[in-house]
Amino acid sequence: LNLFIWGQKSSGAVPFSTMFALVVLWFGISVPLVFLGSYFGFRRDPMPLPVRTNQIPRQIPAQPWFIKPAFTCLIGGILPFGSIFTELFFIMSSIWQHQFYYLFGFLALVLCILIVTCAEISITLTYFQLTSEDYRWWWRSFLTSGSSALYVFLYAVLYFNTRLNIEKTVSVMLYFGYMGLLSLVFFLLTGAVGAFASFNFVKVIYGSIKID
């Protein structure tokens, strides 16, 4: 994206020296830390599970339409998006319309509500899935809460068409490029919260099973 700004000879472009410093920081600090963390992670003992898993996969019965992955993922993203809808408007107005943003305390509260909402919706839909005898909950718990990023990006499209007056091609590419990156980060954040919450929920309910 910065290359397009350079092409327009804009003063908002990041200098080449700064870009080079960021690349050095990435390969000199971030990448070694990733390998170091993976090294210590693989040396640790695996996380204990409350029950043994069968080596032969169990046959999954036919699922009703409201338990299908596409439907549950689309429905699961509505509530997390609804919890940040109002605050997202003020944040985008601050970024793209140069308005002042000073509600940082309220932003922290909205973040807490978002985390709780992602955990609750993911646990609820995981429970419905398990009661339907479908044990493939791992990725679906991630996608259930992570699908709220789709609504964030769709709202960015709506905001572009209703609030902004951008006509230059490079400016349009910058807008959708940055909003796409923001939606990707939001997808990873909310998906991780939902998967972690569902994992702990499954551990608790199966840990309460008494096996003789």
Side-chain angles (χ1 to χ4, degrees):
L1 294 177
N2 196 62
L3 294 177
F4 293 107
I5 304 178
W6 279 347
Q8 295 294 317
K9 298 180 180 180
S10 173
S11 59
V14 179
F16 177 78
S17 58
T18 305
M19 293 291 295
F20 181 76
L22 291 175
V23 172
V24 171
L25 288 174
W26 176 267
F27 288 102
I29 297 178
S30 298
V31 174
L33 287 177
V34 168
F35 286 103
L36 183 65
S38 63
Y39 171 75
F40 285 108
F42 280 109
R43 285 177 59 89
R44 294 189 60 182
D45 296 330
M47 185 176 297
L49 300 177
V51 294
R52 292 184 295 106
T53 57
N54 194 354
Q55 298 297 325
I56 302 176
R58 184 176 180 179
Q59 185 176 3
I60 300 174
Q63 302 292 308
W65 63 270
F66 54 85
I67 302 294
K68 296 294 181 64
F71 181 79
T72 55
C73 289
L74 291 176
I75 292 299
I78 295 177
L79 286 179
F81 173 74
S83 66
I84 65 163
F85 171 74
T86 304
E87 199 67 17
L88 182 62
F89 171 78
F90 291 110
I91 293 175
M92 293 183 64
S93 298
S94 175
I95 295 174
W96 300 109
Q97 294 186 344
H98 306 290
Q99 297 182 6
F100 289 104
Y101 183 83
Y102 47 85
L103 302 175
F104 294 103
F106 190 71
L107 177 62
L109 178 62
V110 170
L111 178 61
C112 295
I113 295 174
L114 172 65
I115 294 175
V116 172
T117 306
C118 289
E120 288 180 346
I121 193 65
S122 183
I123 289 174
T124 302
L125 294 178
T126 298
Y127 175 76
F128 289 153
Q129 182 181 348
L130 293 176
T131 55
S132 299
E133 301 182 25
D134 188 355
Y135 52 84
R136 301 170 301 182
W137 59 270
W138 287 91
W139 279 108
R140 194 183 298 189
S141 64
F142 186 91
L143 296 174
T144 295
S145 55
S147 63
S148 56
L150 174 63
Y151 296 99
V152 171
F153 188 78
L154 292 178
Y155 178 75
V157 176
L158 178 64
Y159 188 88
F160 177 83
N161 292 322
T162 57
R163 294 284 178 174
L164 301 179
N165 187 19
I166 300 177
E167 297 178 353
K168 293 184 178 180
T169 304
V170 174
S171 299
V172 174
M173 293 177 63
L174 286 175
Y175 175 82
F176 285 104
Y178 283 125
M179 293 309 301
L181 291 175
L182 176 64
S183 300
L184 177 61
V185 172
F186 191 79
F187 168 73
L188 296 176
L189 170 65
T190 54
V193 171
F196 185 75
S198 295
F199 176 70
N200 285 279
F201 168 73
V202 172
K203 280 188 64 177
V204 169
I205 62 174
Y206 281 95
S208 62
I209 297 176
K210 305 298 182 181
I211 301 178
D212 297 329

